[in-house]
Amino acid sequence: MSTLTSTAVTARPAATTGRARRLDDWRPEDPDFWRVTGAPIARRNLWVSIFAEHVGFSVWSLWSVTVLFLGPAYGIDPAGKFLLTAVPAALGAVLRLPYTLAVARFGGRRWTIISALMLLVPTVPMTVLLEPGVSYSTLMVLACLTGVGGGNFASSMANINLFYPERLKGRALGLNAGGGNLGVPAVQLVGLAVLATAGAAYPRLVPAVYLPLIVLAALAAARWLDTVPGARNEPGALREAARDPHTWVMSVLYIGTFGSFIGFGFAFGQVLQLQFAERFPTPVDAAWLTFLGPLVGSLIRPLGGHLADRLGGARVTFWNFVAMAAGAGTVLYAARERSFGLYLAGFIALFVFSGIGNGSTYKMIPAIFRARAAGAVATGRRDPEAAARWARRMTGSLIGIAGAVGASGGVLVNISFRQSFLGSGNADAAYLAFIGWYALCFAITWVVYLRPRANRLANV
């Protein structure tokens, strides 16, 4: 396995070569080059990437809306609907690593075109087949295929990472990630609009809305994206990271943050209808609220990174998981007391803190390897340049692995709800499981990164 790096090419001024739009020269760390040539090119690529990734996230989240249309005519019980929202998360998680590697293999521009067009694979048949009488197995296949949208996030982040200098990567990647995450509430607003106008009898209209947007994303990539020269997959980098214990510690934490965000985003509408059936007798009654949580979770993500810069990533992550456990406890109490206002407040808090935690955990990853690199330099085990290269290599690999593992949290959330409703007819067991997971996460954060000891990593 490998990770993605870039080698600057300095032969000629930045240019594109015909249709390939491959840059001949890319030196983002050179201040003069960046100011005159690099910044405008990078910004153009960033905005096109945000749009393409946003569409990918929306396709990934299609079934969070689609299940609200599947009334009695489809013959699917709540447990079956939770499976339909679990399988896209599963495929999206699996695809994140190969999509990351594909950027160097095919080039950022070409792979963005390919990955955008692959979104047609689930959306075209959904537009044709979604009607009463379709088999459950067909729906499962269609739901699983929307997972290709989850892979787009990884390749988009890997590609934009190549365009920006180190000092600006955080902001650029934050914008790219935030724009992509907004695809979750966006598709739910599209679903609400369809429900409010055409009604619940026309679920095929939701994927149909995205067909021209998918084609537009591919055309925009073909017209305006570039390919950075020298991008390559470093042999053995992912294998080395997979042997590092911090990779798996951070993966567990990322399941708790991003996994919660995407899992709740997929499940929220269904849970509202099941927990408060008397308040939400029709899909449109639930749909007008389903977008709210993912929206605030997406918009607040940069705050997590900002707080981590000021207070330390591990400290913010620790208290964030304490708050998430309290939020899940509030939801559990409100569900038992049938208090809808408190229930909604608790769930919105879960979205808010999962968004903050997305930012703070991502900030922890480079800090971990910077601290370890500094320790290696201080003890004479590495020279400064080699230590910096190792830190960058390991950071990129860990982000790739943690992103893939973290996305699997979306599966766990939906399966937890499914099993809880199957076993007891309510979601209490699922909320208890979430509280336990968040408690595990803040305990791990304390023990590994905050507990006072001689070999504690500094500034994580």
Side-chain angles (χ1 to χ4, degrees), residues 49-50 52-58 60 92-93 95-100 103 111-112 115-116 119 146-161 172-184 254 258 261-262 301 358-359 362 399-400 402-404 406-407:
S49 176
I50 287 173
E53 186 197 338
H54 177 91
V55 174
F57 245 95
S58 292
W60 192 22
L95 289 180
R96 282 192 163 198
L97 280 180
Y99 267 55
T100 299
V103 171
W111 182 250
T112 303
S115 61
L119 300 174
T146 59
V148 296
N152 284 18
F153 174 85
S155 57
S156 178
M157 295 289 278
N159 186 44
I160 290 303
N161 182 64
L173 292 175
L175 286 171
N176 200 52
N181 288 356
L182 283 171
V184 182
Y254 204 56
F258 180 77
F261 171 80
I262 199 66
R301 178 172 180 154
N358 277 339
Y362 249 60
I399 286 174

Side-chain angles (χ1 to χ4, degrees), residues 314-388:
R315 183 179 299 172
V316 173
T317 298
F318 172 82
W319 287 110
N320 191 75
F321 278 123
V322 172
M324 290 185 74
T330 300
V331 170
L332 173 62
Y333 174 81
R336 288 177 170 175
E337 296 297 317
R338 309 298 298 164
S339 172
F340 175 71
L342 188 59
Y343 182 89
L344 182 61
F347 233 118
I348 296 299
L350 284 174
F351 277 109
V352 167
F353 291 115
S354 68
I356 292 174
N358 277 339
S360 66
T361 50
Y362 249 60
K363 285 287 186 177
M364 287 176 66
I365 293 172
I368 289 167
F369 291 111
R370 282 198 301 267
R372 293 172 65 187
V377 171
T379 57
R381 290 179 286 120
R382 292 181 189 268
D383 66 78
E385 184 176 344

Side-chain angles (χ1 to χ4, degrees), residues 74-106:
Y74 289 84
I76 304 172
D77 63 11
K81 291 181 182 181
F82 279 118
L83 275 183
L84 288 172
T85 51
V87 290
L91 183 62
V94 170
L95 289 180
R96 282 192 163 198
L97 280 180
Y99 267 55
T100 299
L101 303 179
V103 171
R105 175 67 180 83
F106 297 98

Side-chain angles (χ1 to χ4, degrees), residues 1-292:
M1 301 295 286
S2 56
T3 192
L4 188 62
T5 61
S6 177
T7 303
V9 177
T10 59
R12 296 188 296 278
T16 57
T17 56
R19 290 181 177 272
R21 294 194 63 89
R22 185 177 185 87
L23 301 169
D24 292 323
D25 178 21
W26 194 249
R27 292 170 284 119
E29 300 296 344
D30 181 331
D32 293 332
F33 175 90
W34 177 255
R35 184 180 64 257
V36 175
T37 303
I41 294 174
R43 281 195 298 268
R44 184 183 70 238
N45 280 266
L46 174 61
W47 294 122
V48 174
S49 176
I50 287 173
F51 174 64
E53 186 197 338
H54 177 91
V55 174
F57 245 95
S58 292
V59 170
W60 192 22
S61 309
L62 270 172
W63 284 85
S64 69
V65 173
T66 304
V67 293
L68 299 180
F69 289 81
L70 304 182
Y74 289 84
I76 304 172
D77 63 11
K81 291 181 182 181
F82 279 118
L83 275 183
L84 288 172
T85 51
V87 290
L91 183 62
V94 170
L95 289 180
R96 282 192 163 198
L97 280 180
Y99 267 55
T100 299
L101 303 179
V103 171
R105 175 67 180 83
F106 297 98
R109 173 180 172 272
R110 183 181 301 170
W111 182 250
T112 303
I113 297 169
I114 293 171
S115 61
L117 291 176
M118 284 177 65
L119 300 174
L120 295 171
V121 174
T123 50
V124 169
M126 283 178 68
T127 303
V128 174
L129 298 173
L130 279 178
E131 60 182 12
V134 64
S135 69
Y136 184 71
S137 58
T138 299
L139 294 178
M140 282 288 286
V141 171
L142 294 176
C144 183
L145 289 175
T146 59
V148 296
N152 284 18
F153 174 85
S155 57
S156 178
M157 295 289 278
N159 186 44
I160 290 303
N161 182 64
L162 299 173
F163 280 93
Y164 280 82
E166 290 295 330
R167 70 183 187 280
L168 298 177
K169 285 184 189 292
R171 179 176 179 273
L173 292 175
L175 286 171
N176 200 52
N181 288 356
L182 283 171
V184 182
V187 74
Q188 292 168 349
L189 284 172
V190 170
L192 174 60
V194 171
L195 284 168
T197 55
Y202 298 97
R204 62 178 61 186
L205 293 180
V206 181
V209 168
Y210 280 91
L211 296 181
L213 295 177
I214 291 168
V215 174
L216 182 59
L219 290 175
R223 175 64 180 85
W224 288 297
L225 285 189
D226 303 285
T227 294
V228 172
R232 60 191 178 89
N233 292 318
E234 289 192 21
L238 286 178
R239 189 181 304 114
E240 181 182 359
R243 292 195 295 263
D244 193 298
H246 288 280
T247 296
W248 304 107
V249 170
M250 292 307 302
S251 294
V252 167
L253 301 185
Y254 204 56
I255 288 173
T257 56
F258 180 77
S260 293
F261 171 80
I262 199 66
F264 293 148
F266 285 5
F268 190 34
Q270 293 182 78
V271 174
L272 280 177
Q273 282 196 293
L274 291 170
Q275 292 271 205
F276 296 93
E278 71 286 352
R279 185 179 284 267
F280 301 103
T282 66
V284 71
D285 294 312
W288 74 273
L289 276 178
T290 56
F291 76 93
L292 186 59

Side-chain angles (χ1 to χ4, degrees), residues 405-458:
V405 176
S408 68
V411 183
L412 298 176
V413 167
N414 282 272
I415 294 299
S416 295
F417 279 126
R418 177 182 185 272
Q419 295 306 119
S420 184
F421 279 109
L422 273 177
S424 61
N426 58 52
D428 290 4
Y431 301 138
L432 288 170
F434 302 150
I435 293 169
W437 187 268
Y438 302 145
L440 173 66
C441 287
F442 69 66
I444 289 174
T445 306
W446 168 261
V447 170
V448 179
Y449 299 114
L450 292 175
R451 179 171 55 92
R453 63 187 189 280
N455 59 344
R456 172 184 164 187
L457 295 176

